[in-house]
Amino acid sequence: MGRYRIRVATGAALFSGSHDRVQLWLVGARGETELELQLLPARGQEEEFEHDIPEDLGPLQFVKLRKHHSLVDNAWFCDHITVQGPVAFQEATFPCYRWVRADSVLCLPEGTARLAGNNALDVFQKHREKELKERRQIYCWATWKEGLPLTIAAGCEDDLPANMRFHEEKRLDFEWTLKAGALKMVLKRVYTLLSSWNRFEDFDHIFWGQKSTLAEKVRQRWQDDELFGYQFLNGTNPMLLRRCTSLPSRLVLPSGMEELRTQLEKELQNSSLFEADFILLDGIPANVIRGEKQYLAAPLVMLKMDTSGKLLPMVIQIQPPSPSSPTPPLFLPSDPPLAWLLAKSWVRNSDFQLHQLQYHLLNTHLLAEVIAVATMRCLPGLHPVFKLLIPHIRYTMEINTWARTQLIPDGGIIDKAASTGGGGHVHLLRRALAQLTYCSLCPPNNLADRGLLGTPGALYACDALRLWEITARYVEGIIHLFYRGDDVVRGDPELQAWCREITEVGLCQAQNRGFPISFQSQNQLCHFLTMCVFTCTAQHGAMNQGQLDWYAWVPNAPCTMRMPPPTTKEDVTMATVMGSLPDVRQACLQMVITWHLGRRQPDMVPLGHHKEKYFSDPKAKSVLNQFQTDLENLEREITARNEQLDLPYEYLKPSLIENSITI
């Protein structure tokens, strides 16, 4: 006979509690018993019970739950259950962190992470096989558009599995801020009805409401070449810039520009010449908005880094050479001011398209969804890699489903405001996926390939490398607890199935772009997992947060261009520039949606500080604690550095990085 102390914790989100009766069973190696409990799960509370059990249950293996209901199924969100056994210091933890529905029996295994075994009689092996069979029926793949990564099979948010849905506070905040944004857009458009729209200052008519300090600086300095160049290093899209090793073949220098060639070659010899090439946009069909044709370009920008570390543009080629224009015009800082400014606006418009679709949507959101769906289909809750990844896929399926129903479908927000809308965005995503390599998602490889390692003033590069190193130590610490050698990695069937599911299924046969189809060593596994965690956290933070700062002042990052690119310089007037930039409706929509999607979330969970305790092993908890300490140290370093800067770079401050893609 022994006394057991049982503690049942209920989630803190709205409606997590339940009025329904709950049954509990304890299952040990030597027996099973039903507990006579009067459990009344209350939101955010932990209930404690003590029971004397006559038989010796042995080491506890499972807790089974069954929630009854009377007229309505009042779902219960169970955080976890802990059981203190009769032997001193013998405590078992049973993580749950999911909704418990009526009448079905939910079986929670003891929380120690376990790899798959070969013993068919092992109760844990039977449990994990049954769990995966059920999950594969719930989490199914679907094709949103041919040639793009697969997605979760859900036509709308209501079709998603309950455990992937927003909690109530998140849902309410998301819906209300959308409505508030829509109202703000209406008010701004009404306010501009009696106002002019023919000079830059007219954008002030809609530049009110919630905006950041940096957004105000952008409004004041957006025409400066220095700020234009700075954005390639530390703006909301620092992913395109690369150091030149030769002059680009597409840069055609006509006769009479020998001095420019000399300047470019001098910077090239000094390793201070950089380029940003938007050739991915070449040939993408442009949108038609409310019957008005929009325009796209594929610019090439050549920049130099001066001795003070400032990155300054030297020349802009708005369009690549073509049979109709074998020597496209080149725009220079010495050109008439409005012509030079319009050329830079074309670059910023192109950057808006690639940032939002290639580097933000595809390389973080859609990739994270592939990781999430594959994880739910291939890794049982007992698997250490599942426990490592599950906090980093919170809400990702719902926010992506929302994007497919509101942001990027036919008639969605992209179609209403962006020059790549109307189908061009799908073409662009297909091209971007065809070029997406495994190495490009790993900062040490990506930054080295672009020649940016050690570049002065490259704050994204510096912080990304530090975060990659810290994340890699965390991943290695967890993985080395469970995989004692490369042979254990190779012999894990669940892990290998997960790898294939990502590369061959979710990413549509991506092995020819460097993605693995199997793991052969600890190092290979750790590197891939570091990429997964970094993509779902830090990289998304770098791509998402800057929208508030750099897109609020619309002329700095126009979502669309309403006139074709200029072919001459002398004819560019203020009317040309204003006629090219977004109109009032498009500008308002850009401000509202980028504010909504870039703002800090009220229920934001900072990187590494999730409350869910999936690992019960003290050693694994110690690894997480060290991860948190490393992040706090980096936070202090970034804060101290930023205090010395006119334009602080904060997108990779650990406290501002969300632990998963939730927006």
Side-chain angles (χ1 to χ4, degrees):
M1 179 175 181
R3 171 158 290 196
Y4 288 78
R5 178 179 297 138
I6 302 98
R7 294 192 298 276
V8 182
T10 295
L14 282 175
F15 308 129
S16 291
S18 177
H19 300 297
D20 293 339
R21 184 172 69 88
V22 177
Q23 287 178 273
L24 271 77
W25 292 263
L26 298 183
V27 181
R30 299 191 189 97
E32 173 181 333
T33 186
E34 180 182 351
L35 303 177
E36 296 295 332
L37 300 179
Q38 294 299 315
L39 188 62
L40 296 173
R43 172 190 172 196
Q45 299 297 311
E46 183 175 278
E47 298 182 74
E48 183 173 313
F49 306 89
E50 288 191 357
H51 272 269
D52 291 323
I53 298 175
E55 64 268 30
D56 178 12
L57 299 178
L60 292 180
Q61 298 173 329
F62 299 93
V63 164
K64 294 197 294 188
L65 307 172
R66 183 175 185 180
K67 187 184 71 62
H68 299 270
H69 73 98
S70 49
L71 297 177
V72 179
D73 179 12
N74 186 211
W76 166 44
F77 193 88
C78 176
D79 269 2
H80 61 271
I81 296 172
T82 56
V83 182
Q84 177 78 49
V87 179
F89 308 113
Q90 182 190 36
E91 184 173 81
T93 303
F94 302 85
C96 185
Y97 305 112
R98 70 189 92 168
W99 291 101
V100 181
R101 301 288 178 180
D103 289 337
S104 61
V105 175
L106 178 63
C107 192
L108 303 178
E110 192 274 322
T112 302
R114 295 173 173 86
L115 298 177
N118 296 319
N119 184 0
L121 298 178
D122 178 31
V123 292
F124 292 110
Q125 184 66 21
K126 291 180 178 179
H127 172 80
R128 65 201 304 146
E129 291 171 0
K130 179 175 182 290
E131 180 184 21
L132 287 181
K133 182 178 179 180
E134 292 173 350
R135 290 236 216 101
R136 289 189 184 110
Q137 295 174 346
I138 297 172
Y139 295 89
C140 299
W141 292 109
T143 300
W144 178 62
K145 298 287 185 181
E146 290 294 335
L148 296 185
L150 299 190
T151 68
I152 184 69
C156 64
E157 295 90 327
D158 290 340
D159 295 337
L160 288 166
N163 293 311
M164 292 294 125
R165 298 296 310 275
F166 289 168
H167 282 174
E168 192 65 14
E169 294 96 333
K170 170 79 171 177
R171 185 188 66 80
L172 291 172
D173 171 75
F174 192 83
E175 292 178 356
W176 279 108
T177 51
L178 266 181
K179 293 175 181 177
L183 176 60
K184 189 184 298 183
M185 188 171 77
V186 170
L187 292 175
K188 288 182 177 183
R189 292 185 64 194
V190 169
Y191 182 69
T192 56
L193 286 177
L194 301 178
S195 305
S196 62
W197 196 259
N198 50 31
R199 57 194 185 119
F200 299 136
E201 290 78 11
D202 296 336
F203 281 95
D204 284 325
H205 297 321
I206 61 173
F207 191 66
W208 51 265
Q210 294 174 304
K211 55 181 181 286
S212 68
T213 302
L214 181 51
E216 179 59 37
K217 291 184 178 181
V218 171
R219 184 185 72 85
Q220 297 168 5
R221 295 160 52 181
W222 70 281
Q223 300 185 47
D224 296 349
D225 285 357
E226 181 182 342
L227 193 72
F228 176 82
Y230 175 89
Q231 293 180 70
F232 287 107
L233 285 171
N234 306 313
T236 198
N237 183 22
M239 305 307 298
L240 203 64
L241 187 74
R242 61 175 55 245
R243 193 185 302 269
C244 288
T245 55
S246 62
L247 291 183
S249 59
R250 67 169 280 197
L251 181 65
V252 180
L253 297 175
S255 59
M257 287 198 168
E258 287 75 16
E259 182 179 349
L260 175 61
R261 179 181 293 277
T262 300
Q263 292 174 346
L264 291 170
E265 290 176 344
K266 178 182 176 182
E267 299 297 339
L268 185 62
Q269 292 172 359
N270 294 334
S271 296
S272 55
L273 185 66
F274 295 80
E275 67 176 275
D277 193 346
F278 297 85
I279 194 63
L280 200 69
L281 288 164
D282 188 33
I284 296 293
N287 198 5
V288 176
I289 301 177
R290 295 162 67 93
E292 182 182 359
K293 181 174 174 53
Q294 311 296 295
Y295 295 89
L296 280 167
L300 170 68
V301 190
M302 305 302 298
L303 309 100
K304 66 177 181 180
M305 183 163 286
D306 67 15
T307 54
S308 66
K310 296 177 182 177
L311 189 66
L312 301 172
M314 297 180 68
V315 59
I316 294 173
Q317 183 186 74
I318 298 181
Q319 292 283 41
S322 66
S324 61
S325 180
T327 55
L330 301 181
F331 292 80
L332 308 172
S334 57
D335 287 339
L338 284 178
W340 178 237
L341 185 61
L342 181 57
K344 290 191 293 183
S345 294
W346 272 102
V347 173
R348 297 297 305 134
N349 165 260
S350 301
D351 197 55
F352 181 97
Q353 315 305 322
L354 291 193
H355 164 250
Q356 292 288 27
L357 295 170
Q358 180 180 15
Y359 295 108
H360 186 189
L361 176 60
L362 174 65
N363 289 16
T364 64
H365 278 264
L366 298 185
L367 179 61
E369 185 174 2
V370 168
I371 295 167
V373 176
T375 298
M376 299 308 293
R377 287 177 56 82
C378 299
L379 299 177
L382 284 166
H383 201 286
V385 172
F386 178 90
K387 292 176 181 289
L388 173 70
L389 290 179
I390 188 65
H392 303 299
I393 61 177
R394 169 180 178 256
Y395 292 162
T396 300
M397 293 185 197
E398 173 142 0
I399 193 61
N400 282 9
T401 301
W402 177 86
R404 284 188 290 275
T405 58
Q406 301 293 325
L407 191 64
I408 56 176
D410 295 343
I413 294 170
I414 290 289
D415 281 5
K416 294 176 181 176
S419 47
T420 45
H425 60 304
V426 178
H427 288 281
L428 181 57
L429 285 168
R430 288 191 182 115
R431 284 189 186 179
L433 179 62
Q435 296 186 11
L436 176 64
T437 65
Y438 177 34
C439 286
S440 71
L441 300 170
C442 306
N445 308 94
N446 176 265
L447 294 168
D449 177 64
R450 295 195 285 136
L452 297 185
L453 294 176
T455 301
L459 305 179
Y460 162 81
C462 176
D463 294 351
L465 282 176
R466 288 295 312 278
L467 274 163
W468 176 273
E469 293 165 359
I470 289 170
T471 304
R473 283 199 297 272
Y474 167 55
V475 168
E476 290 164 6
I478 293 293
I479 292 304
H480 288 166
L481 291 176
F482 301 97
Y483 293 92
R484 301 294 183 178
D486 294 346
D487 57 329
V488 184
V489 173
R490 290 191 293 268
D492 184 346
E494 294 167 343
L495 183 70
Q496 302 296 348
W498 175 74
C499 179
R500 291 192 300 273
E501 191 94 354
I502 290 175
T503 298
E504 295 185 339
V505 181
L507 292 178
C508 308
Q509 304 295 326
Q511 56 268 38
N512 61 343
R513 300 193 302 280
F515 288 85
I517 56 173
S518 66
F519 299 122
Q520 299 300 313
S521 68
Q522 290 174 312
N523 289 341
Q524 187 187 17
L525 171 60
C526 289
H527 193 79
F528 190 82
L529 287 172
T530 301
M531 180 277 293
C532 291
V533 175
F534 185 88
T535 295
C536 296
T537 58
Q539 186 63 16
H540 178 258
M543 293 298 100
N544 185 66
Q545 296 182 60
Q547 297 178 96
L548 285 174
D549 299 323
W550 301 101
Y551 291 172
W553 180 250
V554 173
N556 180 64
C559 59
T560 192
M561 299 295 273
R562 296 182 294 130
M563 294 179 67
T567 56
T568 62
K569 305 175 184 182
E570 292 72 20
D571 297 336
V572 176
T573 65
M574 181 59 74
T576 310
V577 178
M578 288 299 294
S580 299
L581 295 176
D583 62 22
V584 177
R585 182 177 182 274
Q586 295 159 347
C588 289
L589 189 54
Q590 173 178 324
M591 291 182 68
V592 165
I593 198 63
T594 54
W595 167 78
H596 177 63
L597 298 179
R599 69 193 174 89
R600 185 182 175 93
Q601 302 297 293
D603 65 342
M604 183 259 193
V605 177
L607 175 59
H609 287 78
H610 47 277
K611 295 181 175 63
E612 298 87 354
K613 299 175 182 178
Y614 289 98
F615 286 103
S616 60
D617 184 345
K619 292 181 180 179
K621 294 178 181 178
S622 177
V623 172
L624 177 59
N625 291 338
Q626 184 59 53
F627 182 43
Q628 295 170 346
T629 299
D630 291 345
L631 292 172
E632 289 163 5
N633 291 336
L634 178 60
E635 177 95 5
R636 285 191 288 270
E637 292 175 21
I638 292 176
T639 300
R641 177 200 69 197
N642 284 347
E643 289 174 351
Q644 310 301 316
L645 299 176
D646 176 46
L647 296 177
Y649 184 77
E650 297 197 322
Y651 308 139
L652 291 180
K653 277 182 73 171
S655 65
L656 300 181
I657 297 171
E658 185 100 20
N659 202 50
S660 61
I661 297 176
T662 71
I663 191 67

